[in-house]
Amino acid sequence: MQLVRGLHNLRPQHRGCVATIGNFDGVHRGHQAILARLRERAAELDLPSCVVIFEPQPREFFAPDTAPPRLARLRDKVELLRAEGVDRVLCLSFNQRFSQLSATEFVETIVLDGLGVKHLEVGDDFRFGHDRSGDFDFLQRAGAAHGFTVEAAQTVEIDGLRVSSTKVRKALASADFDLAEQLLGRPFAISGRVLHGQKLARQLGTPTANVQLKRRRVPLSGVYLTSTLIDGQVWPGVANIGVRPTVAGDGSAHLEVHLLDFAGDLYGRRLTVVFHQKLRDEQRFASLEALKTAINADVAAARAHWHGQPLTKSLK
């Protein structure tokens, strides 16, 4: 799969494709249905498939402090799209200039001049252009005028529940990881590189891996039972994700993972942390000793949960 960053990096060979446009946050089962149809149409027309995404996502640009938390950072989103068999991803910088494009300019700049789209697959609620003035009907009229076809993807429902990124966030916020997995088509996980931290957890007797989040907000907060993928093996453990209120910090979210009975240096390595069950909310403790007691209780709960299972096991 090819990743193209920005319209300025498009070349003549990129023109002529079957495309879809959207945030694709989480690449959930609704997105997967759109991508499946995209692959089918691309095969029928013998053209490459292209997914157009934005960075930052539009709501993050307009209201960064209140935008929904990311389900997947850009790197993970690209990898998920790769796994869905997409040929090309065009990542557009969503900035002030881009936000001012009218619906007509959006179609001319991206769909026609940029990509030479022959068929466009979009979600049934897709809106675009300044003040969200463009919609499916607008695209159909533009397609009829300029020679490309447009198809609206059908809504995907699970047990009567419409699959959406919002529904996934709500499931995660309520710690319903079974529902989140149904909506995503896979367990919810966060990937990132291990950075050097304050090493406070090590001083408290429970060393943790400080996993880089690279996002303003996260969809989880609290202490969770987790499993972490390292070199093809899964290590059960416990993780805290939040602002660490007992310890003076920068107010941003951090992910700290303790792996049961793991010994080794993880600094600089990328980990994938899967969340299984919530143990408790994040809370402020009166002292570091009280925090240490709570952490020990969290580790004991993790051991009890994994009791009778091998602490390491290869992925099948």
Side-chain angles (χ1 to χ4, degrees):
M1 189 188 77
Q2 183 181 22
L3 172 62
V4 180
R5 298 294 296 265
L7 283 172
H8 62 284
N9 282 318
L10 287 175
R11 300 292 181 264
Q13 64 265 29
H14 296 139
R15 290 182 52 80
C17 65
V18 173
T20 185
I21 306 171
N23 288 324
F24 287 87
D25 188 24
V27 192
H28 53 61
R29 288 177 63 181
H31 296 144
Q32 292 163 29
I34 294 175
L35 297 173
R37 184 58 183 154
L38 185 75
R39 292 194 304 271
E40 290 175 4
R41 294 293 286 147
E44 291 169 4
L45 298 175
D46 194 24
L47 291 170
S49 60
C50 179
V51 176
V52 181
I53 59 175
F54 309 100
E55 192 66 28
Q57 294 176 172
R59 290 180 67 181
E60 294 171 340
F61 172 80
F62 290 114
D65 294 329
T66 58
R70 282 274 186 119
L71 296 175
R73 51 185 281 200
L74 176 61
R75 175 171 179 160
D76 297 324
K77 183 190 298 186
V78 169
E79 289 305 312
L80 289 167
L81 292 172
R82 185 192 308 275
E84 290 295 321
V86 173
D87 295 314
R88 184 178 303 137
V89 172
L90 172 61
C91 182
L92 299 176
S93 176
F94 198 95
N95 51 31
Q96 185 63 37
R97 180 180 178 184
F98 190 90
S99 72
Q100 297 299 312
L101 290 178
S102 68
T104 297
E105 290 170 330
F106 184 100
V107 170
E108 291 175 349
T109 303
I110 298 167
V111 178
L112 299 175
D113 297 340
L115 291 171
V117 171
K118 301 303 180 184
H119 176 78
L120 191 59
E121 196 80 19
V122 295
D124 53 8
D125 58 352
F126 179 63
R127 302 298 293 262
F128 63 97
H130 184 60
D131 289 334
R132 293 166 55 85
S133 57
D135 57 12
F136 179 75
D137 289 339
F138 183 96
L139 285 173
Q140 281 195 312
R141 292 193 299 271
H146 297 286
F148 64 89
T149 55
V150 187
E151 183 176 21
Q154 297 299 310
T155 297
V156 175
E157 294 186 354
I158 298 176
D159 296 330
L161 185 67
R162 182 180 185 274
V163 178
S164 69
S165 299
T166 299
K167 293 292 194 306
V168 177
R169 293 187 194 98
K170 288 181 177 179
L172 294 174
S174 61
D176 191 342
F177 292 105
D178 288 338
L179 176 57
E181 182 171 351
Q182 289 182 46
L183 297 173
L184 289 168
R186 63 184 184 279
F188 178 73
I190 292 178
S191 298
R193 196 171 301 281
V194 178
L195 305 177
H196 288 277
Q198 294 176 303
K199 298 183 173 59
L200 178 61
R202 185 177 300 276
Q203 297 173 32
L204 296 175
T206 312
T208 60
N210 181 28
V211 180
Q212 186 180 34
L213 288 173
K214 269 197 172 180
R215 62 190 90 191
R216 182 181 292 269
R217 301 177 64 203
V218 289
L220 298 174
S221 177
V223 179
Y224 299 87
L225 296 172
T226 59
S227 57
T228 300
L229 177 63
I230 307 173
D231 294 336
Q233 288 189 312
V234 178
W235 291 81
V238 61
N240 182 89
I241 186 166
V243 297
R244 304 182 297 186
T246 306
V247 182
D250 56 9
S252 59
H254 295 263
L255 171 57
E256 296 174 298
V257 185
H258 173 69
L259 308 178
L260 299 182
D261 300 325
F262 178 85
D265 184 0
L266 293 174
Y267 291 117
R269 299 175 68 178
R270 283 185 57 81
L271 306 184
T272 297
V273 182
V274 179
F275 294 80
H276 299 280
Q277 180 180 318
K278 188 171 186 176
L279 293 178
R280 61 176 174 85
D281 290 332
E282 189 179 43
Q283 61 190 99
R284 181 183 180 89
F285 293 96
S287 65
L288 290 180
E289 190 60 34
L291 173 60
K292 180 178 180 179
T293 299
I295 291 174
N296 289 338
D298 296 335
V299 173
R303 289 193 180 280
H305 176 79
W306 295 105
H307 180 69
Q309 300 183 47
L311 292 182
T312 61
K313 54 185 181 296
S314 295
L315 283 179
K316 296 181 180 179

